[in-house]
């Protein structure tokens, strides 16, 4: 089970963008579930040689490691950012029922 499933963190510029991406990714079965933070997060980061700040919406994308490549490609295609945050974190443990559902939800 370790490493077979991942949570992918994706920051978006707005709730509207996060909803649009979520519908597309789940609709294409690249993700089983996407949670969107409705309370904005404040991001501080280096960009183009200086420290920047932004108010963003965080997406928590639940998927399989096998789907990551296609998921990343689709996020890059749809995202408004030049370099979107796409970070996969392995799920090292989870309930059998949830992980079974996750696996079945991303099958074609």
């Amino acid at each position: 089970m370790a490493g077979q499933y991942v949570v992918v963190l994706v920051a978006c510029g707005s709730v509207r963008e996060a909803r649009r991406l979520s519908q597309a990714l789940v609709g294409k079965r690249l993700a089983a579930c996407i949670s969107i933070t409705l309370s904005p997060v404040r991001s501080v980061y280096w960009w183009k040689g200086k420290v920047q700040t932004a108010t963003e919406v965080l997406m928590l994308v639940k998927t399989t490691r096998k789907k990551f490549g296609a998921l990343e490609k689709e996020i890059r295609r749809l995202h408004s950012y030049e370099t979107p945050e796409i970070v996969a974190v392995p799920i090292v443990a989870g309930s059998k029922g949830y992980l079974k559902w996750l696996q079945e939800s991303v099958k074609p």
Side-chain angles (χ1 to χ4, degrees):
M1 172 176 46
Q4 183 177 353
Y5 306 99
V6 294
V7 174
V8 181
L9 308 174
V10 180
C12 295
S14 69
V15 171
R16 184 178 192 166
E17 180 175 38
R19 287 180 178 156
R20 181 176 56 80
L21 266 67
S22 295
Q23 288 293 321
L25 298 171
V26 172
K28 291 186 175 194
R29 298 178 91 71
L30 296 173
C33 173
I34 299 176
S35 301
I36 301 169
T37 60
L38 294 179
S39 295
V41 296
R42 188 71 171 162
S43 298
V44 180
Y45 53 94
W46 276 100
W47 184 248
K48 299 195 177 185
K50 60 184 177 175
V51 176
Q52 305 282 336
T53 60
T55 300
E56 297 180 301
V57 174
L58 185 62
M59 294 171 40
L60 304 171
V61 181
K62 280 72 81 172
T63 192
T64 62
R65 188 177 190 119
K66 287 183 181 179
K67 293 283 184 168
F68 180 79
L71 177 86
E72 178 184 16
K73 184 177 179 180
E74 190 67 2
I75 292 169
R76 288 183 185 285
R77 187 179 76 78
L78 297 172
H79 207 290
S80 64
Y81 291 0
E82 182 180 334
T83 306
E85 171 186 3
I86 308 169
V87 177
V89 179
I91 297 173
V92 296
S95 70
K96 286 183 182 183
Y98 181 82
L99 296 177
K100 180 180 177 186
W101 168 82
L102 193 162
Q103 182 72 43
E104 290 172 0
S105 295
V106 296
K107 285 183 180 175

